[in-house]
Amino acid sequence: MFQVPVAIPTFPKLPARALGVVPLGPISMALSAFAKQVARRHPALFRRLGDHAHARFILDPTDLPLVMRLEPNGGAPRVTLLRHPDGGPDGGPDGGPDGRDARIAGPLAALLGLVHGAFDGDALFFSRDLLIEGDTGAVLALRNAIDDAELDLAAELGAISGPLRQPLERLIALAEGATGVALSRHEEEFA
Amino acid sequence: MEIVCPAGTPAALRAAVKAGAHTVYCGFNDETNARNFPGLNFDRAEMREGIRFAHDHGSKVLIAINTFPRAGAEGIWHDAVSDAASAGADAVILADPGLLAFAMQNHPDLRRHLSVQAAAANSDVINFYARCFDVKRVVLPRVLSVAEIAAINDQTKVETEVFVFGGLCVMAEGRCSLSSYATGLSPNMNGVCSPASHVDYHDEGDTLAVRLGGYTIHRAKPGEPAPYPTLCKGCFATQDQKGYLFEDPVSLNAEQLIPQLKKAGVTALKIEGRQRSRSYVAQVVRNFRDAVDALEEGRELPAGMLARLSEGQAETTGAYRKIWR
């Protein structure tokens, strides 16, 4: 099991600023395609969302200048990147987030750690490393569905990388070691 | 001593088993269990598969069917008991006397445990349940001291199971109506205390406010832990004081009391937290399994490392030492 760090790493400021000027449309398309791949491999994740399979989630990495709007669409997910703060959590223009959404905000490392089972969501919430707003039921459903899915985003990425799979996995392992961020799922073997 | 561990999802069940749980408890994804939260619990197929996995690794599975059947809808609870039996559960955890009678009459070989929701807090009532429904184990309410638990064990042959880690309820369990008062839904009838659909967290800039059913029940200042969304742990102002009028928002950790609990005749140690992640389950189970193994082998108990996982980020030994407010 990945060790829970006392302090959660934050994304370096300079690269974060650079993300403020990259074109978001192509990245959103790539992320949507990736999410659809995850949906195909983990259909139970969307079943577990139940009544919240058509909710809208704003995943807000507070150390980045953008937020991610995730629409599960009952198993045909769509991901849209939006800039912060003009697409801010309390109502932005041009189809940005509004009060109907369920918002989960915290450092990127915390959000990735939740996906990979390195952190406990309640512990991060009570320590205020994580903030939730909006539809609390939808947030709970998403948290529980993702926790049960035992996702490994590095493995999912590797599965669509063809011959680049092994170098990519090595690169991710190196980045994980250097940053302390849970970029993949770690699990102890059964003894 | 037996460690009884929570599992809100199949992944959490596997994590608990791999971390060394002797026994795992879980529930179906409906109103028959007291943790009926969005995205949580097991459908029938997941339950059968989870039980198979646990048994293959030498662990037992208990199924909590511990809410109180609604008049006219008893069939939902009857089906849950029958499905638990056919899935191969090692026991069911029940609270309602009518459901206990149904289980005894229709599935006599299915072991019956008395849920904490039944609030059985003395040997007379425990022996009554044993006599009438052949209950083999009782989960004791979190209102008893170690001495009181020892007194109960002196007067009954029913196994006792006590909570050692996790959230605390201040009320006699199974009889709390606070959640109903604010939301119309309760753990007793609907399986939800402070249902998520009625909880609203709001970032007010320098404070984090939580509302339950439209009532603001706490505002946390910067640096304070996020507020817990139940009325019993809310912070209120009255005529002469302001504070946690029902219960401090602390979490139970009786890890260091395990030797005394063993001496008091306790059979099983229960960890609360079916609503928590597989990460929590793995860490807490591993910690308590180490502690129990140390006790059995005559070693010193390992130091606890679980404070960060506690609700409210603060711990208490609860009623066991009678210092919990």
Side-chain angles (χ1 to χ4, degrees), chain B residues 39-108:
Chain B
L40 218 56
N41 298 313
F42 294 62
D43 64 26
R44 266 43 176 185
E46 288 170 338
M47 188 65 84
R48 285 192 296 274
E49 179 54 34
I51 290 172
R52 194 176 306 125
F53 179 88
H55 287 174
D56 285 349
H57 292 89
S59 300
K60 293 179 181 171
V61 175
L62 316 178
I63 300 182
I65 307 170
N66 57 347
T67 49
F68 295 85
R70 270 185 294 116
E74 294 89 345
I76 297 171
W77 280 261
H78 294 172
D79 288 348
V81 171
S82 299
D83 290 344
S86 62
D90 294 281
V92 283
I93 309 170
L94 309 176
D96 182 73
L99 197 58
L100 281 160
F102 171 87
M104 187 172 73
Q105 287 156 13
N106 293 280
H107 303 284

Side-chain angles (χ1 to χ4, degrees), chain B residues 210-294:
Chain B
V210 58
R211 286 192 287 267
L212 178 66
Y215 301 100
T216 299
I217 60 174
H218 196 6
R219 280 192 173 90
K221 295 175 187 159
E224 292 180 347
Y228 202 74
T230 61
L231 277 176
C232 61
K233 295 179 177 76
C235 191
F236 304 100
T238 59
Q239 285 178 333
D240 57 351
Q241 61 175 315
K242 183 181 176 189
Y244 301 106
L245 298 184
F246 293 98
E247 174 190 1
D248 286 343
V250 293
S251 189
L252 176 69
N253 186 357
E255 188 180 14
Q256 295 302 316
L257 294 179
I258 292 174
Q260 289 98 305
L261 292 169
K262 182 180 169 73
K263 204 172 165 190
V266 168
T267 298
L269 305 173
K270 184 166 199 151
I271 296 164
E272 190 270 351
R274 277 189 283 153
Q275 73 282 22
R276 303 293 290 267
S277 67
R278 65 179 200 269
S279 164
Y280 165 94
V281 167
Q283 291 178 64
V284 176
V285 170
R286 196 177 300 118
N287 203 77
F288 275 92
R289 180 62 192 263
D290 285 349
V292 167
D293 286 350

Side-chain angles (χ1 to χ4, degrees), chain B:
Chain B
M1 295 175 94
E2 178 182 334
I3 304 285
V4 182
C5 309
T9 62
L13 180 146
R14 291 190 292 272
V17 168
K18 289 176 184 175
H22 300 110
T23 301
V24 178
Y25 68 100
C26 45
F28 291 122
N29 55 352
D30 57 29
E31 60 197 300
T32 62
N33 88 89
R35 286 288 182 274
N36 182 23
F37 289 108
L40 218 56
N41 298 313
F42 294 62
D43 64 26
R44 266 43 176 185
E46 288 170 338
M47 188 65 84
R48 285 192 296 274
E49 179 54 34
I51 290 172
R52 194 176 306 125
F53 179 88
H55 287 174
D56 285 349
H57 292 89
S59 300
K60 293 179 181 171
V61 175
L62 316 178
I63 300 182
I65 307 170
N66 57 347
T67 49
F68 295 85
R70 270 185 294 116
E74 294 89 345
I76 297 171
W77 280 261
H78 294 172
D79 288 348
V81 171
S82 299
D83 290 344
S86 62
D90 294 281
V92 283
I93 309 170
L94 309 176
D96 182 73
L99 197 58
L100 281 160
F102 171 87
M104 187 172 73
Q105 287 156 13
N106 293 280
H107 303 284
D109 297 332
L110 180 60
R111 187 177 157 98
R112 289 170 292 286
H113 292 187
L114 190 64
S115 169
V116 68
Q117 284 279 89
N122 61 67
S123 58
D124 285 347
V125 71
I126 292 166
N127 288 331
F128 169 81
Y129 278 107
R131 202 164 52 246
C132 295
F133 306 113
D134 195 22
V135 161
K136 300 293 188 193
R137 180 182 294 182
V138 56
V139 185
L140 294 176
R142 286 162 278 195
V143 295
L144 300 166
S145 68
V146 175
E148 287 166 336
I149 291 168
I152 286 173
N153 279 320
D154 281 345
Q155 298 296 319
T156 184
K157 291 191 171 114
V158 176
E159 296 173 359
T160 54
E161 178 175 310
V162 301
F163 282 93
V164 287
F165 193 83
L168 279 166
C169 283
V170 73
M171 294 290 178
E173 285 158 300
R175 295 170 192 169
C176 177
S177 295
L178 282 174
S179 178
S180 290
Y181 177 76
T183 70
L185 298 169
S186 81
N188 312 315
M189 301 300 291
N190 312 98
V192 279
C193 174
S194 304
S197 53
H198 291 64
V199 173
D200 178 28
Y201 282 96
H202 193 63
D203 186 3
E204 298 179 340
D206 59 339
T207 61
L208 178 64
V210 58
R211 286 192 287 267
L212 178 66
Y215 301 100
T216 299
I217 60 174
H218 196 6
R219 280 192 173 90
K221 295 175 187 159
E224 292 180 347
Y228 202 74
T230 61
L231 277 176
C232 61
K233 295 179 177 76
C235 191
F236 304 100
T238 59
Q239 285 178 333
D240 57 351
Q241 61 175 315
K242 183 181 176 189
Y244 301 106
L245 298 184
F246 293 98
E247 174 190 1
D248 286 343
V250 293
S251 189
L252 176 69
N253 186 357
E255 188 180 14
Q256 295 302 316
L257 294 179
I258 292 174
Q260 289 98 305
L261 292 169
K262 182 180 169 73
K263 204 172 165 190
V266 168
T267 298
L269 305 173
K270 184 166 199 151
I271 296 164
E272 190 270 351
R274 277 189 283 153
Q275 73 282 22
R276 303 293 290 267
S277 67
R278 65 179 200 269
S279 164
Y280 165 94
V281 167
Q283 291 178 64
V284 176
V285 170
R286 196 177 300 118
N287 203 77
F288 275 92
R289 180 62 192 263
D290 285 349
V292 167
D293 286 350
L295 184 67
E296 302 293 342
E297 294 162 12
R299 290 185 282 115
E300 199 171 321
L301 289 190
M305 296 177 64
L306 298 170
R308 192 174 154 77
L309 290 169
S310 301
E311 287 175 0
Q313 309 275 295
E315 295 177 337
T316 176
T317 51
Y320 295 132
R321 280 184 174 149
K322 293 289 186 194
I323 55 170
W324 171 41
R325 192 183 73 87

